[in-house]
Amino acid sequence: MPVPAAPALPEGPGDDVVVVIQLESFVDPERLGGAKLPAMDLFRARAAQYGRLRVPAHGAYTMRSEHAVLTGRPSESLGFGRYDPYTSRSGDEPTSLARLAGGRGYGTLFLHPFHRDFFRRARVMEAFGFADLVMGEAFAEAPRVGPYVGDVALGARLLAEVRARRAPLFLFCVTMENHGPWKPGRLPGIDDPQAQYLHHVAHTGRMVEDLVAGLDAIARERGQTITLCVFGDHAPSLPSCKPGFGGRTTEYALFRFGRPHEAPRRVDIAADELGQALRGTLATAPADIAAGT
C-alpha cells in the first residue's frame, strides 16, 4: 500500500537554527511520584508551546516515535511497517525534515552518543538526508553516568556544535543516558530501578536548562532566530509504567529564541503532529537563506 506523502514545507521565513532533541524515556518525574523537575517549570514559563505528546510506542521501540517526528507521518499510515519503520522504510523518506532542510540550504547534523549500527541508525539517518553524523566514536572520552554518555555532557557537545557551525543548521539529537534496563549494579549505591531512572532524569532536566540558556545566548550574540524542540520518545519500561500509562504520552516543549516572547500555550499533540509543526521552523526559500547568511 503506498505511503501518503507528508506535507511539504510552507512558504515564509524560517529559523536560522533548528535543534530537535529526542529525550530517552522522558516523562515528567512527578507522574511517577518523583521530585519536581525544574525543567518542567521552564516548559510552562518559557516554552512557546508544550504539553503531552502522544507517541506510538511504550517502554521501547524508540524508532517509531523518531520516525513520526522526522517524517510527520502518523504510524498507522505505514501499515505493517509501523512496527519497525526503520526496517520497513530504511529512511526512504523524501520529505523528511532533514531532506527538506537540506533542500532549503540548511546544514544537517545528526548527534547521538552511541553505536552507529544500533537500530541501523547511521545508514537510516544518511538516507533521511543528514549530511553529517556525530556518533559513538566521537564520544569515546565523554563522561558516562552509568553505562551511557551523560546527558549534561551531550548537551555541552550540542552547544559546541551549534557554535562551530554556520547557520542555517538543522540538528537532530538523540540522548542515551536514561536508556534501560534499570537494574542493580547500574549506579553505585542505587539499586532500585525507579530510583535509578529518577537519578538520570534529573540530569536530562539539567541538560534542557543548560540548552535553553545556551541557545538563548547564541541567538542574542548572533542576532539569530533559533528553535529548540525537546520530546520524550516513550515512557520508561518500569513497573510503575504499565502499557497504557498516561495514554502512551510523554512530554514535549518548543522554545523560540531571537523572537518576541510568546505566552506559553499548552497543546497536547501526537508525535507526527509535532513533526508537521516543525516544518514551519524550516519554511525559508533558498534565496532568503542566502541573503541572510
Side-chain angles (χ1 to χ4, degrees):
M1 182 178 72
V3 177
L9 290 177
E11 296 297 326
D15 289 327
D16 298 300
V17 177
V18 177
V19 175
V20 183
I21 308 176
Q22 182 170 271
L23 305 175
E24 175 62 43
S25 302
F26 181 74
V27 297
D28 180 351
E30 286 194 277
R31 297 168 65 187
L32 306 179
K36 176 179 282 191
L37 197 66
M40 295 306 302
D41 286 336
L42 194 62
F43 282 18
R44 293 182 279 266
R46 291 285 308 275
Q49 184 175 312
Y50 70 95
R52 295 278 172 86
L53 187 70
R54 298 188 302 278
V55 294
H58 177 81
Y61 299 104
T62 294
M63 76 291 286
R64 297 179 188 175
S65 302
E66 198 169 295
H67 185 274
V69 171
L70 280 170
T71 65
R73 299 186 194 279
S75 290
E76 54 269 24
S77 73
L78 302 176
F80 188 76
R82 69 185 182 275
Y83 295 109
D84 186 349
Y86 283 4
T87 297
S88 64
R89 301 287 300 165
S90 300
D92 180 19
E93 302 289 355
T95 57
S96 74
L97 285 170
R99 284 214 170 277
L100 292 174
R104 292 292 176 98
Y106 284 76
T108 53
L109 170 63
F110 177 68
L111 183 65
H112 179 48
F114 203 56
H115 304 307
R116 300 174 70 87
D117 57 353
F118 189 62
F119 288 156
R120 300 170 59 247
R121 269 212 179 95
R123 185 179 304 175
V124 170
M125 290 303 158
E126 288 174 345
F128 267 135
F130 287 97
D132 296 321
L133 279 66
V134 176
M135 302 188 71
E137 64 276 7
F139 292 87
E141 304 302 320
R144 262 65 176 168
V145 182
Y148 304 115
V149 171
D151 284 351
V152 173
L154 177 60
R157 177 61 182 264
L158 188 155
L159 287 173
E161 292 287 346
V162 172
R163 286 190 176 279
R165 294 169 184 265
R166 291 188 60 188
L169 174 66
F170 174 67
L171 189 159
F172 188 82
C173 174
V174 176
T175 73
M176 198 66 194
E177 178 180 338
N178 217 350
H179 197 285
W182 302 270
K183 57 185 180 180
R186 178 180 176 123
L187 293 172
I190 307 176
D191 282 344
D192 177 71
Q194 182 154 314
Q196 292 179 351
Y197 173 83
L198 294 173
H199 180 85
H200 291 302
V201 85
H203 298 159
T204 305
R206 194 181 315 155
M207 178 192 71
V208 172
E209 293 179 79
D210 291 348
L211 290 174
V212 168
L215 292 173
D216 189 21
I218 291 172
R220 293 174 186 274
E221 291 166 11
R222 296 182 174 179
Q224 293 179 339
T225 55
I226 299 178
T227 283
L228 168 64
C229 171
V230 297
F231 71 95
D233 56 352
H234 52 69
S237 182
L238 292 169
S240 55
C241 295
K242 302 293 184 186
F245 163 80
R248 273 191 177 176
T249 61
T250 61
E251 327 292 337
Y252 84 95
L254 282 165
F255 298 90
R256 311 297 296 275
F257 309 113
R259 299 179 181 275
H261 178 68
E262 303 176 44
R265 298 184 305 137
R266 174 168 177 170
V267 184
D268 297 342
I269 58 176
D272 58 282
E273 293 172 323
L274 178 59
Q276 293 174 23
L278 285 168
R279 291 166 186 271
T281 69
L282 299 168
T284 305
D288 295 331
I289 289 180
T293 55

